[in-house]
Amino acid sequence: MKEDIDTLRNDWLTDNSIAFWEEYLEREFLSQYKNAHIVLLRPSMSFMLMQTPDPLTLKDALPNFTQTTHIFLPINDCSNVEVAEGGSHWSLLLVSVVDGVAFHYDSLHPSNMEEATLATQKISQLLGRRLEFIDLKDSPQQENNSDCGVFVCVQMRHLLLKRLLTANAKEKVSMSMGGRDVDAAGGRKEMLKIIESFRKEGERRRS
């Protein structure tokens, strides 16, 4: 856990950091929308899905997507299943099951194009339906080599809270993040603050 917190300060985010953020979004926001059928797939699950020749063999290990409308997948460029916390870049794939479209947000475009395309093919097989892959070239771009995971987390929250959960069913929602600024430094500080508040809450419960 200390390593995960250390990377939040100024380094490349670990799987655990992104998984924690997904748990936070589920607990604090998604749980309030009982009729929402949105899945935030953990980085380990996304990786396993991409590395498995036949994704249908993972059905028991993955969530039941029968009623799912949207799936968020953190995409990692690691190709070696023997290396824990491998890879050097994160991007975000948002699958709109209802529309049959997979949107790719890459803050170091086009670094993860191949991996995101593969993930789309695998999730398509799993869902048993064709998905159109859309690489959003206007996605906000990072200015260094270590903010990719923060971009994934910040964009995931924005798309979930501002585009999906608050959308009017009759309106066409744009999934582009073009023109939006991502405050990576602010995102890191906020994530650290949230972790600290959860830690203090845990201590209060134990005392």
Side-chain angles (χ1 to χ4, degrees):
M1 186 64 180
K2 184 181 183 302
E3 178 202 346
D4 302 319
I5 293 174
D6 287 345
T7 64
L8 268 173
R9 299 187 197 283
N10 56 13
D11 206 349
W12 191 83
L13 263 57
T14 62
D15 291 33
N16 287 339
S17 296
I18 294 176
F20 164 80
W21 185 251
E22 290 179 312
E23 288 171 22
Y24 163 71
L25 292 177
E26 288 170 346
R27 173 177 160 177
E28 299 297 315
F29 303 104
L30 201 47
S31 62
Q32 298 173 28
Y33 294 82
K34 302 301 180 187
N35 294 324
H37 299 288
I38 299 170
V39 172
L40 310 184
L41 208 61
R42 301 297 186 261
S44 58
M45 292 286 103
S46 297
F47 181 68
M48 189 164 68
L49 179 67
M50 290 165 63
Q51 300 302 321
T52 304
D54 180 6
L56 292 175
T57 60
L58 296 176
K59 270 202 165 182
D60 292 339
L62 294 168
N64 184 344
F65 295 123
T66 307
Q67 292 186 301
T68 301
T69 59
H70 297 83
I71 308 167
F72 285 88
L73 299 92
I75 303 298
N76 188 304
D77 64 354
C78 178
S79 58
N80 188 350
V81 294
E82 303 295 324
V83 179
E85 302 287 353
S88 60
H89 183 56
W90 291 107
S91 61
L92 178 65
L93 190 69
L94 170 55
V95 176
S96 174
V97 183
V98 288
D99 297 314
V101 179
F103 300 98
H104 184 223
Y105 307 84
D106 193 339
S107 59
L108 210 58
H109 189 271
S111 300
N112 275 5
M113 177 84 79
E114 188 178 326
E115 289 80 6
T117 303
L118 175 63
T120 300
Q121 292 168 355
K122 297 290 185 178
I123 203 80
S124 172
Q125 286 178 260
L126 195 62
L127 296 171
R129 63 170 300 174
R130 182 183 173 276
L131 294 173
E132 179 187 0
F133 177 74
I134 297 180
D135 185 52
L136 294 165
K137 297 180 177 64
D138 62 352
S139 297
Q141 298 294 288
Q142 65 194 79
E143 296 177 353
N144 58 27
N145 293 322
S146 58
D147 280 342
C148 52
V150 183
F151 270 66
V152 165
C153 291
V154 172
Q155 292 183 110
M156 183 188 296
R157 178 174 62 180
H158 180 84
L159 291 165
L160 178 66
L161 303 187
K162 305 297 184 184
R163 305 290 174 90
L164 299 183
L165 293 179
T166 57
N168 184 322
K170 295 179 181 177
E171 293 177 2
K172 194 73 176 173
V173 180
S174 169
M175 300 313 291
S176 167
M177 288 291 288
R180 288 200 62 85
D181 289 327
V182 172
D183 180 7
R188 288 181 185 276
K189 287 178 183 175
E190 184 181 5
M191 292 172 82
L192 284 166
K193 188 176 177 181
I194 291 167
I195 288 175
E196 181 63 14
S197 68
F198 278 143
R199 187 185 66 77
K200 287 181 177 176
E201 181 186 329
E203 286 179 353
R204 278 198 303 271
R205 287 179 176 177
R206 287 194 295 271
S207 60

